[in-house]
mmCIF file of all heavy atoms in Angstrom:
data_model
loop_
_atom_site.group_PDB
_atom_site.id
_atom_site.type_symbol
_atom_site.label_atom_id
_atom_site.label_comp_id
_atom_site.label_asym_id
_atom_site.label_seq_id
_atom_site.Cartn_x
_atom_site.Cartn_y
_atom_site.Cartn_z
ATOM 1 N N ILE B 99 6.078 14.285 -2.585
ATOM 2 C CA ILE B 99 6.312 13.030 -1.869
ATOM 3 C C ILE B 99 5.573 11.909 -2.607
ATOM 4 O O ILE B 99 4.371 12.006 -2.859
ATOM 5 C CB ILE B 99 5.833 13.132 -0.409
ATOM 6 C CG1 ILE B 99 6.624 14.227 0.316
ATOM 7 C CG2 ILE B 99 5.993 11.799 0.322
ATOM 8 C CD1 ILE B 99 6.009 14.664 1.629
ATOM 9 N N THR B 109 2.174 7.590 8.557
ATOM 10 C CA THR B 109 3.470 7.772 7.909
ATOM 11 C C THR B 109 3.512 9.078 7.124
ATOM 12 O O THR B 109 4.426 9.891 7.294
ATOM 13 C CB THR B 109 3.761 6.586 6.958
ATOM 14 O OG1 THR B 109 3.541 5.368 7.666
ATOM 15 C CG2 THR B 109 5.182 6.626 6.444
ATOM 16 N N LEU B 110 2.508 9.286 6.283
ATOM 17 C CA LEU B 110 2.503 10.477 5.431
ATOM 18 C C LEU B 110 2.368 11.753 6.258
ATOM 19 O O LEU B 110 3.010 12.763 5.963
ATOM 20 C CB LEU B 110 1.384 10.378 4.398
ATOM 21 C CG LEU B 110 1.563 11.232 3.154
ATOM 22 C CD1 LEU B 110 2.873 10.923 2.458
ATOM 23 C CD2 LEU B 110 0.407 11.024 2.194
ATOM 24 N N ASP B 111 1.575 11.704 7.313
ATOM 25 C CA ASP B 111 1.414 12.859 8.198
ATOM 26 C C ASP B 111 2.767 13.263 8.768
ATOM 27 O O ASP B 111 3.141 14.437 8.753
ATOM 28 C CB ASP B 111 0.440 12.482 9.323
ATOM 29 C CG ASP B 111 0.254 13.607 10.328
ATOM 30 O OD1 ASP B 111 -0.326 14.641 9.944
ATOM 31 O OD2 ASP B 111 0.702 13.470 11.478
ATOM 32 N N TYR B 112 3.502 12.274 9.219
ATOM 33 C CA TYR B 112 4.828 12.523 9.790
ATOM 34 C C TYR B 112 5.767 13.133 8.743
ATOM 35 O O TYR B 112 6.453 14.115 8.994
ATOM 36 C CB TYR B 112 5.424 11.212 10.330
ATOM 37 C CG TYR B 112 6.835 11.369 10.820
ATOM 38 C CD1 TYR B 112 7.097 11.745 12.139
ATOM 39 C CD2 TYR B 112 7.917 11.180 9.957
ATOM 40 C CE1 TYR B 112 8.398 11.912 12.582
ATOM 41 C CE2 TYR B 112 9.218 11.349 10.391
ATOM 42 C CZ TYR B 112 9.452 11.707 11.701
ATOM 43 O OH TYR B 112 10.734 11.885 12.134
ATOM 44 N N ILE B 113 5.754 12.555 7.554
ATOM 45 C CA ILE B 113 6.677 13.002 6.505
ATOM 46 C C ILE B 113 6.350 14.434 6.051
ATOM 47 O O ILE B 113 7.244 15.255 5.886
ATOM 48 C CB ILE B 113 6.661 12.022 5.310
ATOM 49 C CG1 ILE B 113 7.215 10.662 5.754
ATOM 50 C CG2 ILE B 113 7.485 12.557 4.147
ATOM 51 C CD1 ILE B 113 6.986 9.541 4.753
ATOM 52 N N ILE B 114 5.073 14.736 5.891
ATOM 53 C CA ILE B 114 4.682 16.094 5.466
ATOM 54 C C ILE B 114 5.159 17.124 6.492
ATOM 55 O O ILE B 114 5.766 18.138 6.141
ATOM 56 C CB ILE B 114 3.147 16.200 5.266
ATOM 57 C CG1 ILE B 114 2.688 15.333 4.090
ATOM 58 C CG2 ILE B 114 2.725 17.650 5.026
ATOM 59 C CD1 ILE B 114 1.169 15.171 4.003
ATOM 60 N N LYS B 115 4.899 16.832 7.770
ATOM 61 C CA LYS B 115 5.318 17.773 8.826
ATOM 62 C C LYS B 115 6.827 17.936 8.830
ATOM 63 O O LYS B 115 7.353 19.040 8.957
ATOM 64 C CB LYS B 115 4.836 17.274 10.194
ATOM 65 C CG LYS B 115 3.360 17.516 10.385
ATOM 66 C CD LYS B 115 2.888 17.036 11.733
ATOM 67 C CE LYS B 115 1.397 17.306 11.878
ATOM 68 N NZ LYS B 115 0.750 16.304 12.742
ATOM 69 N N ASN B 116 7.515 16.837 8.692
ATOM 70 C CA ASN B 116 8.972 16.842 8.671
ATOM 71 C C ASN B 116 9.496 17.694 7.505
ATOM 72 O O ASN B 116 10.424 18.482 7.654
ATOM 73 C CB ASN B 116 9.446 15.391 8.576
ATOM 74 C CG ASN B 116 10.933 15.254 8.708
ATOM 75 O OD1 ASN B 116 11.663 15.632 7.802
ATOM 76 N ND2 ASN B 116 11.392 14.722 9.834
ATOM 77 N N PHE B 117 8.853 17.567 6.350
ATOM 78 C CA PHE B 117 9.322 18.315 5.172
ATOM 79 C C PHE B 117 9.012 19.790 5.255
ATOM 80 O O PHE B 117 9.768 20.618 4.758
ATOM 81 C CB PHE B 117 8.729 17.712 3.895
ATOM 82 C CG PHE B 117 9.576 16.615 3.361
ATOM 83 C CD1 PHE B 117 9.769 15.459 4.095
ATOM 84 C CD2 PHE B 117 10.223 16.743 2.148
ATOM 85 C CE1 PHE B 117 10.588 14.448 3.622
ATOM 86 C CE2 PHE B 117 11.042 15.739 1.668
ATOM 87 C CZ PHE B 117 11.221 14.590 2.411
ATOM 88 N N LYS B 118 7.886 20.126 5.870
ATOM 89 C CA LYS B 118 7.554 21.547 6.000
ATOM 90 C C LYS B 118 8.595 22.251 6.862
ATOM 91 O O LYS B 118 8.894 23.418 6.642
ATOM 92 C CB LYS B 118 6.145 21.714 6.560
ATOM 93 C CG LYS B 118 5.129 21.374 5.476
ATOM 94 C CD LYS B 118 3.713 21.795 5.792
ATOM 95 C CE LYS B 118 2.849 21.644 4.553
ATOM 96 N NZ LYS B 118 1.451 21.373 4.871
ATOM 97 N N ALA B 119 9.165 21.522 7.810
ATOM 98 C CA ALA B 119 10.195 22.091 8.680
ATOM 99 C C ALA B 119 11.524 22.278 7.947
ATOM 100 O O ALA B 119 12.476 22.799 8.507
ATOM 101 C CB ALA B 119 10.383 21.194 9.901
ATOM 102 N N ARG B 120 11.590 21.851 6.689
ATOM 103 C CA ARG B 120 12.837 21.998 5.919
ATOM 104 C C ARG B 120 12.812 23.232 5.022
ATOM 105 O O ARG B 120 13.616 23.347 4.113
ATOM 106 C CB ARG B 120 13.062 20.742 5.071
ATOM 107 C CG ARG B 120 13.212 19.495 5.920
ATOM 108 C CD ARG B 120 13.390 18.253 5.073
ATOM 109 N NE ARG B 120 13.360 17.077 5.928
ATOM 110 C CZ ARG B 120 13.978 15.944 5.650
ATOM 111 N NH1 ARG B 120 14.665 15.810 4.540
ATOM 112 N NH2 ARG B 120 13.914 14.929 6.476
ATOM 113 N N THR B 122 10.793 24.123 2.682
ATOM 114 C CA THR B 122 10.504 23.839 1.279
ATOM 115 C C THR B 122 9.607 24.954 0.732
ATOM 116 O O THR B 122 8.913 25.632 1.478
ATOM 117 C CB THR B 122 9.748 22.513 1.173
ATOM 118 O OG1 THR B 122 8.710 22.492 2.160
ATOM 119 C CG2 THR B 122 10.653 21.337 1.402
ATOM 120 N N VAL B 125 5.090 21.513 -0.554
ATOM 121 C CA VAL B 125 5.115 20.064 -0.346
ATOM 122 C C VAL B 125 3.778 19.506 -0.783
ATOM 123 O O VAL B 125 2.736 19.879 -0.246
ATOM 124 C CB VAL B 125 5.341 19.679 1.140
ATOM 125 C CG1 VAL B 125 5.384 18.164 1.306
ATOM 126 C CG2 VAL B 125 6.608 20.289 1.685
ATOM 127 N N LYS B 126 3.793 18.638 -1.792
ATOM 128 C CA LYS B 126 2.571 17.966 -2.214
ATOM 129 C C LYS B 126 2.797 16.454 -2.155
ATOM 130 O O LYS B 126 3.933 15.993 -2.035
ATOM 131 C CB LYS B 126 2.163 18.415 -3.613
ATOM 132 C CG LYS B 126 1.582 19.817 -3.610
ATOM 133 C CD LYS B 126 0.858 20.096 -4.891
ATOM 134 C CE LYS B 126 0.117 21.420 -4.804
ATOM 135 N NZ LYS B 126 -0.663 21.641 -6.009
ATOM 136 N N THR B 127 1.680 15.725 -2.249
ATOM 137 C CA THR B 127 1.784 14.278 -2.120
ATOM 138 C C THR B 127 1.103 13.567 -3.277
ATOM 139 O O THR B 127 0.045 13.999 -3.748
ATOM 140 C CB THR B 127 1.111 13.817 -0.806
ATOM 141 O OG1 THR B 127 -0.252 14.249 -0.815
ATOM 142 C CG2 THR B 127 1.803 14.388 0.413
ATOM 143 N N PRO B 140 -5.623 13.210 9.415
ATOM 144 C CA PRO B 140 -6.223 13.888 8.266
ATOM 145 C C PRO B 140 -5.157 14.461 7.326
ATOM 146 O O PRO B 140 -4.869 15.643 7.348
ATOM 147 C CB PRO B 140 -7.050 14.997 8.917
ATOM 148 C CG PRO B 140 -6.356 15.279 10.201
ATOM 149 C CD PRO B 140 -5.609 14.052 10.612
ATOM 150 N N VAL B 141 -4.555 13.604 6.535
ATOM 151 C CA VAL B 141 -3.502 14.070 5.637
ATOM 152 C C VAL B 141 -4.085 14.382 4.263
ATOM 153 O O VAL B 141 -5.047 13.758 3.833
ATOM 154 C CB VAL B 141 -2.355 13.039 5.474
ATOM 155 C CG1 VAL B 141 -1.648 12.824 6.785
ATOM 156 C CG2 VAL B 141 -2.857 11.743 4.905
ATOM 157 N N SER B 142 -3.483 15.345 3.610
ATOM 158 C CA SER B 142 -4.001 15.703 2.291
ATOM 159 C C SER B 142 -3.230 14.971 1.205
ATOM 160 O O SER B 142 -2.005 14.957 1.189
ATOM 161 C CB SER B 142 -3.947 17.213 2.096
ATOM 162 O OG SER B 142 -2.722 17.598 1.551
ATOM 163 N N VAL B 143 -3.997 14.338 0.330
ATOM 164 C CA VAL B 143 -3.419 13.647 -0.815
ATOM 165 C C VAL B 143 -3.737 14.501 -2.041
ATOM 166 O O VAL B 143 -4.893 14.726 -2.358
ATOM 167 C CB VAL B 143 -4.025 12.235 -0.966
ATOM 168 C CG1 VAL B 143 -3.497 11.554 -2.220
ATOM 169 C CG2 VAL B 143 -3.710 11.393 0.260
ATOM 170 N N ASP B 144 -2.720 14.999 -2.700
ATOM 171 C CA ASP B 144 -2.941 15.894 -3.838
ATOM 172 C C ASP B 144 -3.223 15.108 -5.114
ATOM 173 O O ASP B 144 -3.988 15.548 -5.961
ATOM 174 C CB ASP B 144 -1.732 16.807 -4.011
ATOM 175 C CG ASP B 144 -1.537 17.691 -2.794
ATOM 176 O OD1 ASP B 144 -2.347 18.606 -2.611
ATOM 177 O OD2 ASP B 144 -0.606 17.441 -1.996
#
Side-chain angles (χ1 to χ4, degrees):
I99 298 165
T109 310
L110 202 56
D111 178 68
Y112 175 88
I113 295 168
I114 294 169
K115 284 180 180 150
N116 187 289
F117 272 64
K118 286 193 170 151
R120 299 178 187 208
T122 46
V125 181
K126 286 195 172 184
T127 58
V141 296
S142 89
V143 176
D144 298 288

